[in-house]
Amino acid sequence: MGHDIRIVTEAQLREIVALDRDLVDVIERGFVALAAGEVVMPPILSMDLPQVNGEVDVKTAWMPGVEGFAIKVSPGFFDNPALGLASLNGLMVLLSARTGLVQAVFLDNGYLTDIRTAAAGAVAARHLAPATVETAGVLGTGVQARLQMQAAHLERPFRRVLVWGRDAARAQACARDLAETLGIEAQVAATPEAVVRDSQLVVTTTPSRTPLVQADWLHDELLVTAMGADQAGKTEIAPAALEAAGLYVCDRVSQARVSGELEGALAAGLMQDVVPPELGALIGAMPAPRPGCIICDLTGTGVQDTAIATHVHARLGDAGSVIAV
Amino acid sequence: MGHDIRIVTEAQLREIVALDRDLVDVIERGFVALAAGEVVMPPILSMDLPQVNGEVDVKTAWMPGVEGFAIKVSPGFFDNPALGLASLNGLMVLLSARTGLVQAVFLDNGYLTDIRTAAAGAVAARHLAPATVETAGVLGTGVQARLQMQAAHLERPFRRVLVWGRDAARAQACARDLAETLGIEAQVAATPEAVVRDSQLVVTTTPSRTPLVQADWLHDELLVTAMGADQAGKTEIAPAALEAAGLYVCDRVSQARVSGELEGALAAGLMQDVVPPELGALIGAMPAPRPGCIICDLTGTGVQDTAIATHVHARLGDAGSVIAV
C-alpha cells in the first residue's frame, strides 16, 4: 500500500517556523517529557572523520503521545568554508510513531537544528537565569552565538550584550548584527573574563577543546549556559567551575558524562559523587531562593529534534512537494 | 550557496538496481574495504520500541576513495501487517564524503536494504560455500527468504531448494515462488533438521529468539549463513554449533558480539578465546582445503548501505526529482 511523503526545503521551513516563544514552549515540553522518563532516546550515533575534518551525528527520540518522531542527521565538515559552503548541514526525517512509515523529509541544511538548539538555551534562561538580566554575554561569534542571544532576549530582555571571540573582526560583526537585530547596545569584550564578570547570563557557543570560563569569575547573579561541548574532548568550562557553581544542570546526564562539560570534570576527578538534575526536572520545580551561580550544560538531545519536527509537521499546510512511494 | 538534492522513489530505484552479480560485486568490494581497516563504521544506532512493537536501526559507514556515504534508516513495526502495511520500511540518505552535503534521498521503503542484505548472502556463498551445491535450504518464508535463495543461486546454481517455516501455508507459498523464479524443484521440509542435513548451503532468515540449528546436524559439505540475528536477543544457531563448525566467520566482530550469533555463544561461555575472521578478510584468502562446515554470521553493516547507495547514485541518470535547497 503506497503512501505520500512530504519533502520540504529550508526556504519553505523558514516560512513555517522561527525562533520565537512558541518554539521555546515546544522545546520546553520536550524537556519535560524527557525528565518524566517516558521518552525513548538511544545514545547518539556519532561518526568522527578526521580524514576530511568532518563529523556526523544522528539523533532521535520517541515520545509517548506524539504522532511522529524525528531522525536528525547533522554533518559538520569544517573545511567547507574554503569551498564557499556552510560547515553545518543535514536534514530531518519524520517517521510515524505508530507505523514507522516516513511522513516527511525536511531538507533544512541544519536550520531546524540551529533554532531548536537556540530554543533550548531560551528554556534554560526562562527557568535558571536571574529574574533580571541587564547584561548578557556570548563566547563565540557564529550563527549559534547570534541565535542564542536572540533566544535569551525572548526570556530576559536585557539592555546590553557583550561579545567575545578569538577573531576581533568576527566579534565586531557579531556585535553589530546583535545590536541591529535586538535594538540594544552591543560591545566587543577583550576577554572571556570580562564577559563573565559583567553579565548575568552567558552562553558559550564555541568548539573549544580547552576551558574558556574559570571558576574564579563566577558570581551569584549568573547563569552560564554551555552549548559548545557536544562531542568527547570538547569543553568550554573549567572543571573547577562546575564544582564552584551553586548548581550544575544538564540536558541529559548520560550525554553530559561522555560529551558535555561533565566529561572533563569527571576526568579531572571532580563531580564524582554528584548526580546532577536534568533541565526538564527543574521546570516548575526550581528551589527557592535561586542557588547562586548556575551552570547549564546542553549537549543537544534527540527529543528537541522530535519536538520541532512534529511541531513543523502540524503547521505544514500544503507546503512542500508530495512524493508518492 | 544552494545545491540540488535528488529524490528517488522505490519504483524508480527498482528500475535502476536489481539483485544480480553486479550488485554482489559491489557489496563484495564493501566487505573487502571493511576488512582492510580504512572504513569508518560507528556502532549502529538502535532504538527498541516495545510500546508499539517496533524498532528502528540507523547504520552508516564512510569508505576512503568513495565519493559518498549513506545514512540508512530501517524501521520495523511488526503490527503493521494488521493495518495492511509492510513491517519494514525506511529510506537511505546519501551525503558527500567530502562536504557532508546531502546528495540524494532514496525513498526505497527498505528495497535497497533487502537487496544489499541478500547480496551479502551471495558474497558468503561465493567464497565460503562448497564448490558444488546440489540442494540449498532456507529457514523462514518472508521476503528475505526468497531473496537469499535467489542470491545464493547466482553463485551456486543449485537444482533443488528446501523451505522450512513455522507456518506451513507460508512455506508452501515461498516454495512455489522459488520454483517459479529459479526454475528449479522446490519442496517444503518438515523440520529445520531435514533442511540442514540435506543441503550444502543453508540460509536462516527468521527473527527467532531460540536456536533453530543444532550442532549435531552439521556436516562438512555445508555453509550455514545466519541472517536473522541483528539485535541483542535474536538467535538462530545453537551456541554449540558455532564451536562445532570447522570455521565461524562474521561480517563485523564488534557487531556479532552484541547482536549476532556470537552474542549467545559468549553468554553460554563458549567461543571465549576465539577471534573470528571477518568475511572481507577471507575474500581471496580462504584456507585450502575448505575447513569443513562453515557458519557465516551476518548482522548487516553500514558499509553495505554506503556501497549500494553510491552504486545507485552513479547509475541515476536523470531518474527522480531534483529539489534545490
Side-chain angles (χ1 to χ4, degrees), chain A:
Chain A
M1 200 172 87
H3 75 290
D4 289 341
I5 296 176
R6 194 78 71 89
I7 311 289
V8 194
T9 64
E10 178 186 348
Q12 292 161 339
L13 291 163
R14 285 182 182 269
E15 298 287 318
I16 293 167
V17 62
L19 175 57
D20 56 22
R21 295 197 79 189
D22 281 354
L23 181 65
V24 179
D25 292 344
V26 165
I27 299 302
E28 179 180 276
R29 286 195 290 273
F31 280 114
V32 170
L34 186 62
E38 290 180 353
V39 170
V40 182
M41 195 170 79
I44 298 162
L45 185 162
S46 187
M47 179 160 67
D48 196 26
L49 297 170
Q51 304 91 330
V52 287
N53 197 16
E55 64 189 30
V56 185
D57 276 357
V58 182
K59 295 182 180 178
T60 188
W62 187 96
M63 300 170 66
V66 174
E67 294 205 347
F69 66 101
I71 294 187
K72 195 272 294 286
V73 177
S74 284
F77 281 65
F78 303 102
D79 294 341
N80 280 3
L83 305 170
L85 302 170
S87 295
L88 303 179
N89 283 284
L91 53 69
M92 284 194 193
V93 180
L94 182 72
L95 296 90
S96 161
R98 199 171 50 103
T99 67
L101 290 184
V102 177
Q103 309 287 300
V105 180
F106 300 140
L107 301 171
D108 71 332
N109 299 320
Y111 169 66
L112 297 178
T113 297
D114 282 346
I115 61 173
R116 68 74 152 148
T117 301
V123 173
R126 182 180 284 181
H127 298 283
L128 306 179
T132 302
V133 174
E134 289 284 327
T135 299
V138 64
L139 307 189
T141 59
V143 171
Q144 198 55 222
R146 290 162 170 83
L147 289 175
Q148 285 292 341
M149 289 297 98
Q150 289 175 238
H153 198 260
L154 293 170
E155 299 296 328
R156 295 289 188 274
F158 44 85
R159 298 195 291 194
R160 187 171 73 130
V161 60
L162 303 177
V163 178
W164 174 86
R166 283 176 214 277
D167 181 319
R170 286 172 57 88
Q172 276 293 355
C174 182
R176 250 191 331 263
D177 287 351
L178 284 169
E180 189 180 315
T181 309
L182 300 176
I184 61 173
E185 182 189 348
Q187 294 172 7
V188 171
T191 62
E193 180 173 0
V195 174
V196 173
R197 289 203 190 269
D198 290 351
S199 300
Q200 292 82 54
L201 187 164
V202 171
V203 185
T204 63
T205 68
T206 77
S208 182
R209 291 177 174 267
T210 51
L212 301 172
V213 174
Q214 303 300 329
D216 287 353
W217 311 340
L218 304 183
H219 49 94
D220 281 356
E221 288 298 299
L222 175 65
L223 166 67
V224 178
T225 301
M227 305 291 320
D230 59 354
Q231 293 224 333
K234 289 188 188 171
T235 181
E236 300 179 284
I237 314 292
L242 266 57
E243 284 216 338
L247 180 65
Y248 166 83
V249 187
C250 61
D251 51 3
R252 191 62 162 175
V253 175
S254 56
Q255 293 187 186
R257 282 189 178 128
V258 296
S259 60
E261 298 298 341
L262 195 51
E263 180 203 1
L266 291 171
L270 302 180
M271 302 290 284
Q272 301 292 317
D273 301 319
V274 179
V275 179
E278 294 184 350
L279 175 57
L282 292 179
I283 289 171
M286 267 294 284
R290 194 176 164 281
C293 177
I294 299 179
I295 294 177
C296 181
D297 183 5
L298 300 180
T299 55
T301 62
V303 78
Q304 293 164 254
D305 299 311
T306 287
I308 195 170
T310 52
H311 175 63
V312 166
H313 194 243
R315 288 179 166 206
L316 275 183
D318 57 4
S321 317
V322 174
I323 304 228
V325 298

Side-chain angles (χ1 to χ4, degrees), chain B residues 19-324:
Chain B
L19 175 57
D20 56 22
R21 295 198 78 190
D22 281 354
L23 181 64
V24 179
D25 293 344
V26 165
I27 299 303
E28 181 179 276
R29 285 196 291 273
F31 280 115
V32 170
L34 185 61
E38 290 180 353
V39 170
V40 182
M41 194 170 80
I44 298 163
L45 185 161
S46 188
M47 180 161 66
D48 197 26
L49 298 169
Q51 305 91 330
V52 287
N53 196 17
E55 64 191 28
V56 185
D57 276 357
V58 182
K59 296 181 181 180
T60 188
W62 187 96
M63 300 170 66
V66 173
E67 292 204 349
F69 66 100
I71 294 186
K72 196 270 294 287
V73 177
S74 283
F77 281 65
F78 303 103
D79 294 341
N80 280 4
L83 304 170
L85 302 170
S87 295
L88 303 179
N89 283 285
L91 54 69
M92 284 195 194
V93 181
L94 182 72
L95 295 91
S96 161
R98 199 171 51 102
T99 67
L101 290 183
V102 177
Q103 309 289 300
V105 180
F106 299 141
L107 301 171
D108 72 331
N109 299 319
Y111 169 67
L112 297 178
T113 297
D114 283 346
I115 62 173
R116 70 72 153 150
T117 301
V123 173
R126 181 180 285 180
H127 297 282
L128 306 179
T132 302
V133 174
E134 288 284 328
T135 300
V138 64
L139 307 188
T141 60
V143 170
Q144 199 54 222
R146 290 161 171 83
L147 289 174
Q148 285 292 341
M149 290 295 99
Q150 289 174 239
H153 198 260
L154 293 170
E155 299 298 326
R156 295 291 189 273
F158 45 83
R159 298 195 291 193
R160 188 171 73 130
V161 61
L162 304 176
V163 178
W164 175 85
R166 281 175 216 278
D167 181 319
R170 286 171 57 89
Q172 276 294 356
C174 183
R176 248 190 333 262
D177 287 351
L178 285 170
E180 189 180 314
T181 309
L182 301 177
I184 61 171
E185 182 187 346
Q187 294 172 6
V188 170
T191 61
E193 181 172 0
V195 173
V196 173
R197 288 201 190 269
D198 291 351
S199 301
Q200 292 82 54
L201 188 164
V202 171
V203 185
T204 63
T205 68
T206 77
S208 181
R209 290 179 175 267
T210 52
L212 301 172
V213 174
Q214 302 301 329
D216 288 353
W217 311 340
L218 304 182
H219 49 94
D220 282 356
E221 289 298 299
L222 175 64
L223 166 67
V224 179
T225 301
M227 305 291 319
D230 60 354
Q231 292 225 335
K234 290 189 187 170
T235 179
E236 300 179 283
I237 315 292
L242 265 57
E243 285 218 336
L247 180 66
Y248 166 83
V249 187
C250 62
D251 52 1
R252 192 61 163 176
V253 174
S254 55
Q255 293 187 185
R257 283 190 179 129
V258 296
S259 61
E261 298 298 342
L262 196 51
E263 181 203 0
L266 291 171
L270 302 180
M271 303 289 285
Q272 300 292 318
D273 301 319
V274 179
V275 179
E278 295 184 349
L279 174 57
L282 292 179
I283 290 172
M286 267 294 286
R290 197 176 163 280
C293 177
I294 299 178
I295 294 176
C296 182
D297 184 6
L298 300 180
T299 54
T301 61
V303 78
Q304 294 163 253
D305 299 311
T306 287
I308 195 169
T310 52
H311 175 63
V312 166
H313 194 242
R315 287 179 166 204
L316 275 183
D318 58 2
S321 316
V322 173
I323 305 230

